[in-house]
Amino acid sequence: MSPDTLVQVPSVATPSSPFTPADFDAYVMATYARFPLVLERGAGCRVWDTEGREYLDFVAGIATCTLGHAHPVMVEAVTRQIQTLHHVSNLYYIQEQGQLAQWLVQHSCADRAFFCNSGAEANESAIKLARKYAHTVLGIQHPVILTAHASFHGRTLATITATGQPKYQKNFDPLMPGFAYVPYNDIAALEATIAQLDSDERQVAAIMLEALQGEGGVCPGDQAYFQRIRQICDEKGILLILDEVQVGMGRSGRYWGYEQLGIEPDIFTSAKGLGGGIPIGALLCKSFCDVFQPGDHASTFGGNPFAAGVALSVCQLLEQENLLANVQARGEQLRAGLKAIAQSHSDQVVAVRGWGLINGMVLNPDVALTSGDVVKAAMAEGLLLVPAGPKVVRFVPPLIVSESEVDQALQALERAFAAV
Ligand SMILES: *Cc1c(COP(=O)(O)O)cnc(C)c1O
């Protein structure tokens, strides 16, 4: 493109006086309890605040910035797409969307993809697909989707209903009909609930679970549990839906969390890490349950050239740089270091658990120390962490994190424990 075809860009002034948390709260709804920290710049696994302080980022936008901050491949992809084509609607064929779908299908058990903008929207799509399958294929009149206690599936009305945690549902009733809950990793309870619902004529159409519960406390799924669920779904012809929004896209050390469990879902969802931090979500499924027809489901922004083109570059880089090997090695290094810290503070820490680069440090339920206390103390030592519930500290760095950065994070955490 020759420069004279480009519209002259007016220079946009950056705010001259810093926008303080108080200024912010005057304009933005208070839906989040924010830390008093204003981040203004990032590079790799580091971010800087408006005071010039540097932090090692083991939050990565909550398991989202797969390639860290300002990665050259993302800068290139974003620039390329915005200069060529960024949005056209799904009235037309979109090359980048097709290529991203192809990559995802070639690197998973799925046959087809549908694109949207977030994890909640991907899960909504999965719920709609499962209900249509129940009505049109299984002949179930009042389909029920089973989900787990302590799960997290998003903040829309259907996904807070799917989320088995009352704190997300309080004051938002009436909730969506058609959901029932079971304890996670408990096969006897699941079989009893299915039998109970079937005798009530409210038939189970699908079971929807996280391969590893992220928000619920970094709790990995049990292989035997998921393998038995796979058998039950096959026997009854019902659907197994996995929410891979947090654990998928390489974070577990495999592309998908279900690979850790030795099973394949019929339907799964992705979002967070999929676009490396640009908003995109995806519903993926096997062809036998792809019952959507034109007009059944849609999303204005879904899979636009911008989001799909950037996500495709993130996926390709994951593969080309063999980042899964880094995730596995750095994950082992991190867990070993966390276990050493847990041992020297065994009065405060009771367990370390996780897969690849999604790990949790479980605090002693009998002491007052909360995950928020540890996160604040780590922040003071230059390390960003995020709670997963009141008693679990979560570690979800970019997948490109280096050996020395993991060491530095462990040293900062050791100092934080000395301080609390
Ligand atoms: C974050 C998350 C979601 C919701 O994703 P949004 O993009 O915030 O809508 C759903 N499921 C899981 C497992 C998540 O971790």
Side-chain angles (χ1 to χ4, degrees):
M1 192 186 303
S2 69
D4 53 294
T5 63
L6 288 172
V7 178
Q8 194 62 40
V9 181
S11 66
V12 180
T14 43
S16 48
S17 59
F19 208 74
T20 65
D23 298 331
F24 184 98
D25 288 338
Y27 299 107
V28 180
M29 294 172 88
T31 56
Y32 304 94
R34 297 172 197 268
F35 293 104
L37 181 63
V38 189
L39 297 173
E40 70 175 4
R41 189 164 61 86
C45 297
R46 287 169 203 279
V47 289
W48 287 265
D49 70 10
T50 45
E51 320 268 87
R53 274 189 302 250
E54 180 179 308
Y55 299 87
L56 203 44
D57 183 6
F58 271 48
V59 176
I62 314 187
T64 292
C65 302
T66 315
L67 307 182
H69 302 278
H71 192 287
V73 164
M74 283 195 77
V75 172
E76 192 280 325
V78 165
T79 308
R80 178 192 67 226
Q81 283 310 141
I82 208 77
Q83 286 181 335
T84 349
L85 194 65
H86 71 291
H87 182 78
V88 291
S89 91
N90 285 297
L91 290 169
Y92 315 107
Y93 282 86
I94 297 171
Q95 299 209 53
E96 295 82 358
Q97 185 180 137
Q99 290 171 309
L100 177 61
Q102 181 185 44
W103 192 94
L104 290 169
V105 163
Q106 287 175 348
H107 294 81
S108 77
C109 64
D111 300 313
R112 296 278 185 278
F114 168 85
F115 295 100
C116 52
N117 309 289
S118 68
E121 201 187 343
N123 288 333
E124 285 268 349
S125 313
I127 292 164
K128 282 180 71 176
L129 184 65
R131 284 186 172 187
K132 183 169 182 192
Y133 184 83
H135 288 295
T136 62
V137 179
L138 300 177
I140 296 179
Q141 292 223 316
H142 300 288
V144 172
I145 298 178
L146 282 188
T147 68
H149 294 155
S151 59
F152 185 79
H153 299 295
R155 299 296 202 124
T156 62
L157 273 173
T159 59
I160 59 168
T161 309
T163 293
Q165 300 195 56
K167 70 172 178 185
Y168 293 109
Q169 303 169 339
K170 193 170 167 234
N171 289 329
F172 297 120
D173 49 300
L175 296 174
M176 202 67 59
F179 289 90
Y181 311 94
V182 292
Y184 192 62
N185 282 341
D186 180 344
I187 199 67
L190 179 114
E191 293 189 74
T193 304
I194 293 178
Q196 167 80 50
L197 286 164
D198 283 355
S199 69
D200 279 3
E201 280 179 68
R202 295 205 309 145
Q203 281 176 292
V204 175
I207 301 172
M208 177 170 172
L209 297 165
E210 291 158 89
L212 170 154
Q213 290 190 325
E215 300 303 310
V218 190
C219 191
D222 175 53
Q223 274 210 356
Y225 173 72
F226 275 87
Q227 288 174 2
R228 178 69 190 122
I229 288 178
R230 182 65 273 177
Q231 272 179 348
I232 293 171
C233 289
D234 290 342
E235 283 160 21
K236 298 182 73 72
I238 65 179
L239 298 172
L240 176 56
I241 306 171
L242 292 187
D243 178 343
E244 293 264 358
V245 168
Q246 188 158 163
V247 72
M249 272 308 287
R251 185 152 290 280
S252 72
R254 315 292 295 268
Y255 282 120
W256 308 105
Y258 65 74
E259 295 174 63
Q260 296 280 358
L261 299 170
I263 52 138
E264 290 184 354
D266 304 309
I267 297 173
F268 67 96
T269 54
S270 177
K272 291 196 166 85
L274 177 57
I278 56 105
I280 184 168
L283 162 69
L284 291 122
C285 76
K286 300 215 172 183
S287 52
F288 82 90
C289 55
D290 177 15
V291 292
F292 279 161
Q293 282 163 356
D296 276 347
H297 195 47
S299 174
T300 298
F301 289 125
N304 77 11
F306 178 80
V310 177
L312 178 63
S313 293
V314 172
C315 291
Q316 288 171 337
L317 193 90
L318 263 186
E319 186 170 16
Q320 280 158 16
E321 303 273 296
N322 194 17
L323 282 182
L324 294 184
N326 190 57
V327 175
Q328 290 158 19
R330 299 289 73 79
E332 278 175 24
Q333 180 195 353
L334 180 61
R335 276 188 302 282
L338 292 177
K339 281 177 185 160
I341 293 175
Q343 260 168 17
S344 53
H345 299 273
S346 57
D347 49 330
Q348 286 164 320
V349 183
V350 295
V352 170
R353 63 191 181 208
W355 292 336
L357 286 174
I358 178 161
N359 293 287
M361 185 176 235
V362 187
L363 303 177
N364 186 346
D366 301 327
V367 300
L369 186 72
T370 66
S371 51
D373 298 333
V374 176
V375 167
K376 278 183 210 143
M379 192 181 290
E381 299 299 333
L383 172 65
L384 298 185
L385 299 174
V386 55
K391 282 292 184 178
V392 179
V393 184
R394 182 170 22 166
F395 301 78
V396 281
L399 306 189
I400 57 165
V401 71
S402 69
E403 188 173 354
S404 70
E405 285 164 337
V406 170
D407 281 339
Q408 287 162 36
L410 289 165
Q411 285 157 18
L413 185 69
E414 185 63 72
R415 293 195 302 274
F417 267 97
V420 292

